Amino acid sequence: SWDAKFLKVLDCLTGLIKWTRTGGDNEFDNQFEVIKSPSKKLSNRLEAQHLFLQGLRSLLQFVPSHVNGRVEEVVNCLLEVTCDAPFEIVHTSERALQNLVCGTDPDTCFQCLVPFLNDTDVDLSTKSNPPILLSTLRTLRHLIDRISPKTLENNFHSLLLPLFLTTLRHKSVDMRKATIFILVEVYFVLGDGMNMDNFTESQQRLIDVYITKHPKKQAMGDQTLDGVPISLQSKGISA
């Protein structure tokens, strides 16, 4: 049963993923050779890393409840492997993280993400994304409506908002978009508690565009007045 084998499989996969991060390609080629995918054009080391990540993702997708107690270790492994990694590695890691946060205790997952949100120096002078931060933001998006509203409220203005106000000014479109997607999810949990006054008028309009497109908003019905979103009416903005 998985009760007996899960931790052994988890340890094996996380260990192999960490192993593929420690050596150079030449060193790895002398020890290991994998069946390469012509479309990916990855080195042997990265092909193996991608394979192990897919295995870990399957574990988190089908038996996530068994990872409780090891969430922090898995979060760290999956986020750290995205640093300076190619698309295939980042994409698979983010999907695995999504499986993790959707299948385990949400408040525990949030606390495991906090260090990656806290200890980040965002350079607004470059278009390159800070290592790990983008994947952390993309993961947080899937967690917002699962953590308790009290946890979100307690951390939004003190921890999250200062970071978001910075990432919304980042030159990277991906960084700004990831932040907007999170703020949309926050809106559906906190409502007016998010306080749109914190954002510029253009940021407010962009947030409202994505709120309007969100399936939750469509299920609630159209809440505009004379073509202007309700959240902007208090600003005196007219059509």
Side-chain angles (χ1 to χ4, degrees), residues 58-197:
S58 295
L59 204 63
L60 300 175
Q61 183 176 5
F62 296 110
V63 282
S65 60
H66 289 74
V67 81
N68 286 329
R70 303 287 292 277
V71 172
E72 182 178 9
E73 176 187 341
V74 176
V75 167
N76 291 349
C77 176
L78 289 171
L79 284 175
E80 288 168 358
V81 80
T82 64
C83 185
D84 300 322
F87 169 80
E88 292 84 0
I89 299 298
V90 173
H91 178 76
T92 304
S93 297
E94 288 178 357
R95 298 289 77 74
L97 283 162
Q98 181 179 348
N99 293 135
L100 177 67
V101 302
C102 290
T104 57
D105 179 69
D107 283 9
T108 298
C109 290
F110 178 75
Q111 292 305 319
C112 293
L113 291 179
V114 166
F116 296 96
L117 298 167
N118 245 341
D119 303 328
T120 302
D121 183 19
V122 182
D123 185 358
L124 296 178
S125 66
T126 177
K127 287 185 178 181
S128 61
N129 297 310
I132 303 177
L133 178 58
L134 181 58
S135 292
T136 305
L137 293 177
R138 287 171 171 167
T139 302
L140 183 60
R141 172 193 177 186
H142 300 289
L143 193 56
I144 292 296
D145 69 347
R146 298 195 70 246
I147 61 178
S148 66
K150 190 66 174 177
T151 296
L152 180 57
E153 184 177 9
N154 288 343
N155 287 276
F156 181 71
H157 290 285
S158 60
L159 169 66
L160 300 177
L161 182 59
L163 175 64
F164 294 162
L165 292 176
T166 300
T167 54
L168 281 173
R169 294 160 48 216
H170 202 278
K171 291 183 178 180
S172 166
V173 174
D174 289 336
M175 191 69 70
R176 298 197 304 271
K177 183 181 290 187
T179 305
I180 291 293
F181 287 162
I182 294 174
L183 288 169
V184 169
E185 297 298 334
V186 170
Y187 169 82
F188 285 109
V189 178
L190 298 184
D192 292 339
M194 192 171 80
N195 191 356
M196 294 289 279
D197 286 334

